Amino acid sequence: MKILVLNAGSSSVKYQLFEMNDNQVLASGLIEKIGEMDSLAKIKYCDERGCEAKIERVGNIKNHDDALAIISDLLIETKVIASLDDLDGVGHRVVQGGSLFSKPALVDAHVIEGIERLIPLAPLHNPGNLAGIKVSLEKSPSVPQVAVFDTAFHATLPQYAYLYALPYKLFEEANVRRYGFHGTSHHFIVKEAAKTLQKPLNELNAITLHLGNGASMCAVKNGKSIDTTMGLTPLEGLIMGTRSGDIDPAILFYLARTQGYTIDTLDTLLNKESGLKGICGNNDMREIGKMAQEGDEKAKLALEMFNYRIKKYIGAYSAILGRVDCIIFTGGIGENDSDVRRDSCQGLSNLGIEIDESVNNQRCSSITYISTTSSPVKVLVIPTNEELEIALQTKEVIEAL
Ligand code: ADP
């Protein structure tokens, strides 16, 4: 079974083609700078001799229609498929599923209309996701298309965890509540943890940490998300590359009243100019690590703040879970930055969390236990694979047809 996974943004489309018999990636690539004169189309695939090969093309790709046409041309030209009819399904990443979608959905007019209705909740993401779905449906109408939502894994949050203490009618009339994001990644790593710990998923309690440019944590009880740090939007919770995470909301009124900020400049401030970048001027964790080693005080402070916020949530999630079987790190930072893993878990032996420094310092390119053998809570690094998770969920929907 061949499944194409599309992650369409406003000006880019990432794609990966999977052979689902063995979850192997047949080809992957990216279309960038859609709408510009120097758009870029890339594909990585396995050639007829079994060697890894790449093609890159530069030229104007006007819109998502052209982008999908190029993906299909590249897949056919490289003989990965003979035609789009070879596909058994297409899985689409959709960022915001709101309260409408608690699981993956086979795309039809009703689903398209639902994703459209959710645009006000995710104005930067849902329109691009939707453009990908519409064009793909048009180009291969006989291939089942499945929408997989970043929010769906968090549909199991209890109401007392997802509701904000605002007037209840804002929830009823304006859909204001915690939705949570990175759900595909949290779901994938928790399933992987259940396999490696040889524990049924529905008996596993975990704290999952997806730490990339965007960062979120999730409390998983009996395999289900019961709380997560991101909220109505991906701005809440942890300190991120350029996002503030949790702040006192009254800071916004104060800045508007005394510093002349507007809604738009506050939006930019909190989403693009805050977080690690706001504190030390850089949002790339590798560079911040180097700056801190060279004695940059702001970089050291940014790291301290980043790790402190994570530690607070580990404490909070340990409290709501009661029993924690494992803590899982993933994402660009979680998979690669041993200092962040060590410092955010330091001093938590009272919660049963003990990191083995020597293992933690090794490269973790596959599932790795970084806790001591006697640590009651297992600490794991699990490389995430959101594309594979979208493909697996797409396969499940198609097989149930
Ligand atoms: P995105 O949220 O954009 O998908 P990623 O999951 O790719 O982000 O993570 C990007 C972050 O991971 C950046 O801050 C980057 O510096 C960090 N990162 C990547 N590799 C390493 C590494 N070897 N050591 C420390 N940080 C790393």
Side-chain angles (χ1 to χ4, degrees):
M1 179 186 259
K2 287 189 176 65
I3 289 183
L4 178 66
V5 171
L6 294 179
N7 181 355
S10 55
S11 62
S12 68
V13 181
K14 267 197 223 161
Y15 64 97
Q16 246 180 60
L17 180 66
F18 288 91
E19 173 47 73
M20 299 310 292
N21 299 337
D22 52 4
N23 296 346
Q24 194 200 334
V25 179
L26 299 176
S28 62
L30 177 66
I31 312 294
E32 277 178 292
K33 298 208 247 178
I34 296 172
E36 295 181 34
M37 289 317 290
D38 58 344
S39 322
L40 193 60
K42 296 183 194 172
I43 185 166
K44 205 160 85 180
Y45 64 104
C46 208
D47 69 15
E48 281 146 317
R49 292 165 300 148
C51 301
E52 193 179 284
K54 286 180 190 171
I55 299 177
E56 272 191 38
R57 280 190 194 135
V58 184
N60 176 231
I61 299 171
K62 287 198 297 294
N63 47 33
H64 283 75
D65 211 348
D66 284 4
L68 271 265
I70 288 186
I71 293 174
S72 116
D73 288 350
L74 285 169
L75 290 171
I76 292 167
E77 185 185 320
T78 51
K79 301 200 170 64
V80 179
I81 53 173
S83 81
L84 286 182
D85 292 336
D86 280 3
L87 299 176
D88 295 285
V90 182
H92 298 270
R93 176 183 183 221
V94 181
V95 167
Q96 179 54 276
S99 304
L100 297 178
F101 300 104
S102 56
K103 48 185 198 242
L106 185 70
V107 173
D108 58 15
H110 177 69
V111 169
I112 289 182
E113 192 247 332
I115 298 171
E116 234 152 32
R117 274 210 334 248
L118 292 167
I119 287 177
L121 282 174
L124 299 180
H125 293 103
N126 273 29
N129 303 158
L130 198 58
I133 292 178
K134 284 183 176 167
V135 174
S136 174
L137 203 58
E138 210 176 278
K139 294 214 181 305
S140 38
S142 58
V143 179
Q145 316 271 330
V146 176
V148 178
F149 301 90
D150 265 18
T151 46
F153 183 58
H154 305 300
T156 44
L157 257 63
Q159 196 179 31
Y160 56 78
Y162 73 64
L163 214 54
Y164 293 105
L166 293 166
Y168 195 81
K169 69 170 190 217
L170 289 177
F171 164 60
E172 290 176 308
E173 293 169 13
N175 304 307
V176 176
R177 53 159 287 183
R178 176 183 311 285
Y179 292 103
F181 298 87
H182 288 147
T184 316
S185 177
H186 290 293
H187 196 177
F188 178 79
I189 58 174
V190 91
K191 285 196 293 186
E192 290 292 295
K195 275 190 252 166
T196 186
L197 292 167
Q198 298 184 329
K199 207 172 162 76
L201 181 61
N202 62 7
E203 290 175 18
L204 185 74
N205 287 3
I207 299 174
T208 53
L209 297 92
H210 180 110
L211 308 178
N213 273 317
S216 71
M217 286 173 59
C218 179
V220 178
K221 188 164 197 164
N222 297 328
K224 293 196 162 72
S225 171
I226 59 160
D227 206 352
T228 188
T229 55
M230 285 177 166
L232 175 86
T233 75
L235 183 55
E236 196 181 342
L238 300 180
I239 292 173
M240 307 177 218
T242 62
R243 295 181 213 145
S244 63
D246 298 338
I247 60 165
D248 178 350
I251 291 171
L252 307 185
F253 324 139
Y254 173 73
L255 291 179
R257 290 188 187 122
T258 65
Q259 310 291 313
Y261 277 90
T262 64
I263 296 290
D264 286 338
T265 56
L266 283 171
D267 191 331
T268 306
L269 178 78
L270 263 57
N271 276 299
K272 304 223 165 93
E273 296 166 355
S274 297
L276 297 168
K277 187 177 177 194
I279 298 299
C280 72
N282 201 316
N283 61 303
D284 187 315
M285 201 45 119
R286 277 166 295 203
E287 289 172 29
I288 298 170
K290 272 192 220 135
M291 286 161 63
Q293 269 174 9
E294 287 160 9
D296 186 309
E297 293 300 326
K298 296 267 176 59
K300 285 190 208 165
L301 177 63
L303 287 174
E304 255 171 21
M305 291 170 67
F306 185 83
N307 294 327
Y308 176 74
R309 182 77 54 89
I310 293 173
K311 190 181 285 188
K312 279 215 286 195
Y313 272 109
I314 292 178
Y317 286 176
S318 297
I320 63 169
L321 285 170
R323 187 197 81 236
V324 180
D325 299 312
C326 65
I327 293 183
I328 314 165
F329 283 90
T330 199
I333 297 170
E335 290 168 35
N336 296 299
D337 197 318
S338 54
D339 292 349
V340 164
R341 295 193 299 252
R342 182 198 58 221
D343 293 345
S344 59
C345 290
Q346 199 176 37
L348 295 184
S349 52
N350 60 326
L351 297 178
I353 302 161
E354 283 161 18
I355 299 266
D356 181 330
E357 285 238 20
S358 61
V359 194
N360 181 44
N361 284 334
Q362 287 168 15
R363 221 178 112 64
C364 306
S365 48
S366 57
I367 298 182
T368 310
Y369 285 73
I370 58 163
S371 43
T372 60
T373 43
S374 59
S375 177
V377 176
K378 304 293 164 221
V379 186
L380 297 156
V381 177
I382 302 186
T384 195
N385 193 338
E386 288 164 283
E387 289 76 18
L388 175 59
E389 181 59 31
I390 292 172
L392 290 168
Q393 293 192 23
T394 301
K395 179 180 172 209
E396 229 175 276
V397 171
I398 293 169
E399 282 178 344
L401 288 178

